[in-house]
Amino acid sequence: MNPIYERSRRTVTVRPARSGDGEAVRAIRNHAVEHSTALWTQTVQSPAQGEAWLAAHLERGSAFVAELEGEVAGFAVYGPWRELDGYRHTVEDSVYVREDRQGLGIGSALLTALIASAREAGHHVMIAGIEAGNSGSIRLHERFGFHHAGTVPEVGTKFGRWLDLTIMRLPLS
């Protein structure tokens, strides 16, 4: 049997993140910083920065991890889309899966939990800001009912090239 099908039978467990997950989350996040255009920075997080970043999400109750075989295989968070109080009912999501665990349904499991949590918290809209070339993330969000709200050309840069930002929107209420 093809090993990918054998791996796909493994059980993914999604749970609220805890402070003890900080290093695993930071490792996934820093890998994305160093090797992808998912995060538009080239500055990796130090342990202290990673802890502070996660603590803000833990305080809101907006951070989740996916475990596979006892290891953190991915994480998802949502946070304020903009800081002004007029945007207080809108949140932005982030979903990251460890590179060696992609394609196993982990992103879907995480996004399911994230959307349910944001709805339960009373948020009105969830926004996804995705690098326009990240077709996997765009397809994931489309499967959950996110609609394309627009693409803004050349608003970021990384690895010596300009990046376009696709904005997707999901009504929560």
Side-chain angles (χ1 to χ4, degrees):
M1 178 168 269
N2 185 334
I4 190 72
Y5 294 116
E6 291 173 22
R7 289 182 358 163
S8 67
R9 287 190 219 150
R10 297 174 185 169
T11 303
V12 175
T13 303
V14 175
R15 62 168 173 77
R18 302 183 288 255
S19 60
D21 298 319
E23 188 52 36
V25 168
R26 187 176 77 89
I28 295 167
R29 197 171 176 351
N30 281 347
H31 187 273
V33 167
E34 293 176 313
H35 301 284
S36 79
T37 55
L39 283 162
W40 293 7
T41 180
Q42 293 180 327
T43 305
V44 297
Q45 284 184 328
S46 69
Q49 290 168 326
E51 185 178 314
W53 178 86
L54 183 57
H57 290 287
L58 294 177
E59 187 175 317
R60 276 193 298 273
S62 63
F64 296 85
V65 297
E67 289 184 337
L68 183 66
E69 299 174 339
E71 294 182 333
V72 173
F75 75 90
V77 297
Y78 68 82
W81 184 51
R82 298 284 185 264
E83 295 300 322
L84 298 175
D85 65 346
Y87 298 107
R88 68 187 172 279
H89 302 292
T90 303
V91 293
E92 183 173 9
D93 78 302
S94 295
V95 178
Y96 292 89
V97 177
R98 228 172 67 188
E99 185 180 45
D100 63 336
R101 298 293 190 222
Q102 293 178 359
L104 301 176
I106 294 168
S108 292
L110 285 164
L111 193 51
T112 297
L114 211 60
I115 292 169
S117 174
R119 280 190 172 127
E120 186 176 309
H123 295 293
H124 182 64
V125 170
M126 183 174 278
I127 298 290
I130 304 168
E131 192 276 316
N134 188 342
S135 58
S137 185
I138 290 170
R139 281 193 311 271
L140 171 68
H141 284 81
E142 286 173 342
R143 283 196 308 269
F144 281 82
F146 282 76
H147 295 282
H148 185 267
T151 298
V152 188
E154 298 183 357
V155 293
T157 184
K158 189 168 181 184
F159 303 136
R161 62 186 174 99
W162 288 104
L163 302 173
D164 300 344
L165 180 67
T166 292
I167 299 171
M168 300 184 79
R169 177 187 181 274
L170 176 70
L172 297 171
S173 58

